[in-house]
Amino acid sequence: MKIFVISPKNKTVFNFRGDLIKDMISKGNEVFVVGPNRDFIDDIMELGVSQFIEVPLVKDNTNIFGDIDYFKRLKKLFKERKPDMVFGYTIKPVIYGSLAAKAAKVPNIYSMVTGLGRVYAAKGFKTKIIRFITKILYKNAFRACAKVIFQNRDDIKELVQENYLPLEKCVQVDGSGVNMERFYKSELPEEPVFLMVSRIIKEKGVLEYCEAARKVKKEVKEARFILLGGFDSSIGALKKEDIQSFIDDGSIEFPGEVKDPVSFYHKCSVFVLPSYYREGLPRTILEAMSCGRAIITTDWPGCREAVTNGENGFLVEPKNVENLAQKIEVLAQNKETLVKMAENSYNLCKEKYEVSVVNGAMRNTLGY
C-alpha cells in the first residue's frame, strides 16, 4: 500500500508520528511524507520513508489564497502519484488533505484531530468568525474520511453535538503513544524538582507556571522549577522578556529548547502542564508518565485524559495560580504521596499509552 502522511510541521513527523510510520513500513507499506518546508529532512528519511515531498504551508496563516494554493498543490500531487491512502493530522492537513484526496479519488482517506487548538479555546468576534468558517471546512473534510481519529472524548463530544460528523465515524485512541524504551523509568531525585516542557506560548500556562514557582519557592526554598521549550511566532507566543524576571530572581531555570528532553524528565520529580490550550492528549504528559513521574495539569480537554485526580497526579483549575501552587507544595513536601503517584503514572502508561498498544489501535482503524 502507498501511504501519504500529511504533516503541518516537519519536526512532528519524527517526534509524534515516527513510531507509527515505522510500524506502517514494517507491514510492507511504502510511506511518503508531505511537509511544509525542508527542515529536518534527514531525521524524517531515517524513519525509512520512501520520499519526502515539500508542499509549502503557512500553519497559522488565515489568508484564504494561501490555503487554496495548498489545496491545489495537494490535489495535483495525489492525482499524479495515486496514493492508496492519505492520512493527515492537525487542522490544515486534515481539511485540505482530505478534500484534495477526495478530489483526486484517493480510495482511503483518514484524519487525526490532535486537539482543537486555539480556535476552539479563545473568545472574541474574530475567533467566532474563524470558527464558523472552520466548521464548514471540517464538515466537508470529515465527509471525505472513512474514519476520523481523536485523542480525547471531549473533542468527540463537542464536534458530534455540533453536527460536524456522526459518532459512528469517530475513533478515539490514547494519544500518540510513547516509546517506553526511550523514555525509560528512573529514580526520583532527592530534592523536589518540577519540570514544564512546552512551546513558550500564553495558552500553555507558561506564565501561570512561572508565577506559581515564584510563590512556592518562598515557602519551599529547596524546590527547583525548570521550564523547557522554544519561542515561536504563532498567535499567543511569548517573548523572552515576558519570562525574564522569573529567570532573574531564580524562580525558574530556563535551558531553552532541546532536541531530546529525556534527561530533563529524569532530573525532575513532578511534571507540570497548566495548559488551557485545546490539546489532543499532550505527548509531554505521556513521556513524563513513562519516566515514572507524577503529573500536575489542568482539568481541561486533553490534559485531564491521562490523569486521575489524586491517583497519578493532580488536576487544577485553568489559569488559577493559587490552586496550582497549592498542589505543587503538596508534592514538594510529601515524598510518600509523590512516590505513590509516580508509580501509578508509570503503571498506567505501560497499560494504556505504550506506543505499540496505541499503534495497534491505529493499525486496526487505518487497516494497513
Side-chain angles (χ1 to χ4, degrees):
M1 187 181 290
K2 188 190 291 186
I3 302 174
F4 275 53
V5 176
I6 317 300
S7 167
K9 191 175 180 181
N10 291 356
K11 194 174 180 182
T12 66
V13 175
F14 53 90
N15 273 346
F16 300 151
R17 308 278 94 80
D19 287 299
L20 176 63
I21 287 170
K22 287 179 182 177
D23 191 65
M24 289 174 170
I25 294 168
S26 74
K27 299 299 183 289
N29 301 290
E30 281 186 284
V31 177
F32 298 77
V33 171
V34 179
N37 51 46
R38 308 297 296 176
D39 296 344
F40 303 107
I41 291 178
D42 289 343
D43 296 279
I44 293 171
M45 295 307 296
E46 282 179 10
L47 298 173
V49 304
S50 298
Q51 187 182 358
F52 173 84
I53 303 165
E54 181 183 4
V55 176
L57 161 69
V58 181
K59 186 167 167 278
D60 293 310
N61 179 31
T62 55
N63 184 329
I64 188 63
F65 297 108
D67 290 352
I68 290 172
D69 183 62
Y70 182 59
F71 164 78
K72 286 180 176 178
R73 286 171 183 259
L74 289 175
K75 178 178 158 185
K76 182 173 183 287
L77 174 67
F78 298 153
K79 281 190 171 182
E80 289 174 353
R81 304 297 287 272
K82 300 189 185 322
D84 300 299
M85 180 191 296
V86 165
F87 171 68
Y89 62 94
T90 73
I91 183 166
K92 290 193 178 184
V94 165
I95 289 173
Y96 300 113
S98 300
L99 292 174
K102 181 182 180 183
K105 295 183 168 51
V106 175
N108 300 290
I109 306 169
Y110 294 88
S111 291
M112 175 180 272
V113 177
T114 57
L116 296 181
R118 180 177 290 105
V119 172
Y120 288 80
K123 297 179 181 179
F125 181 69
K126 183 179 179 181
T127 304
K128 286 181 180 178
I129 293 173
I130 294 172
R131 197 179 300 154
F132 175 75
I133 296 168
T134 300
K135 179 176 182 178
I136 295 170
L137 293 170
Y138 257 147
K139 286 180 74 171
N140 282 286
F142 291 157
R143 286 193 195 104
C145 297
K147 293 288 182 183
V148 180
I149 301 163
F150 293 84
Q151 296 186 335
N152 69 68
R153 70 198 87 175
D154 291 293
D155 290 353
I156 293 176
K157 183 178 179 182
E158 180 169 340
L159 295 197
V160 169
Q161 284 183 343
E162 294 294 323
N163 296 313
Y164 280 64
L165 76 173
L167 181 60
E168 57 267 23
K169 191 170 269 194
C170 303
V171 176
Q172 184 181 344
V173 298
D174 293 314
S176 302
V178 59
N179 187 324
M180 296 187 75
E181 290 183 5
R182 179 185 171 202
F183 295 92
Y184 58 91
K185 186 181 181 185
S186 62
E187 294 297 318
L188 296 172
E190 287 299 317
E191 300 296 327
V193 182
F194 297 84
L195 172 69
M196 178 177 178
V197 181
S198 166
R199 286 185 295 147
I200 310 301
I201 62 174
K202 183 181 178 182
E203 291 92 344
K204 293 286 186 176
V206 171
L207 295 179
E208 285 79 3
Y209 176 72
C210 293
E211 289 170 8
R214 178 178 281 167
K215 187 178 289 286
V216 171
K217 280 185 75 71
K218 292 176 182 177
E219 304 297 326
V220 189
K221 291 186 170 30
E222 70 274 18
R224 293 173 56 203
F225 294 85
I226 303 170
L227 173 62
L228 198 66
F231 298 97
D232 65 25
S233 58
S234 64
I235 300 168
L238 297 172
K239 297 179 180 178
K240 183 76 177 289
E241 51 262 38
D242 294 316
I243 62 171
Q244 190 63 52
S245 68
F246 299 102
I247 299 169
D248 292 342
D249 69 10
S251 297
I252 65 163
E253 302 167 34
F254 182 62
E257 186 175 19
V258 299
K259 188 173 181 180
D260 190 351
V262 174
S263 63
F264 285 90
Y265 289 121
H266 293 161
K267 288 177 184 177
C268 81
S269 44
V270 179
F271 181 76
V272 184
L273 185 66
S275 176
Y276 45 98
Y277 187 86
R278 282 300 294 264
E279 311 277 357
L281 200 173
R283 183 50 188 275
T284 52
I285 288 179
L286 303 185
E287 290 170 352
M289 289 171 63
S290 181
C291 293
R293 267 46 185 178
I295 310 296
I296 298 176
T297 190
T298 42
D299 189 5
W300 185 253
C303 294
R304 59 179 164 234
E305 199 72 24
V307 177
T308 301
N309 193 38
E311 292 294 322
N312 67 315
F314 290 122
L315 295 174
V316 298
E317 185 182 341
K319 305 182 187 181
N320 190 326
V321 174
E322 290 286 343
N323 190 199
L324 177 60
Q326 179 190 28
K327 295 307 181 186
I328 288 173
E329 277 195 38
V330 169
L331 293 185
Q333 297 175 325
N334 193 325
K335 191 66 177 281
E336 186 178 340
T337 300
L338 172 63
V339 170
K340 182 181 176 183
M341 286 185 170
E343 188 65 24
N344 288 343
S345 267
Y346 177 78
N347 291 334
L348 178 60
C349 188
K350 192 173 181 180
E351 176 188 342
K352 285 187 70 176
Y353 303 111
E354 200 277 324
V355 71
S356 66
V357 176
V358 174
N359 282 347
M362 290 292 291
R363 197 183 313 123
N364 289 339
T365 299
L366 300 177
Y368 62 80

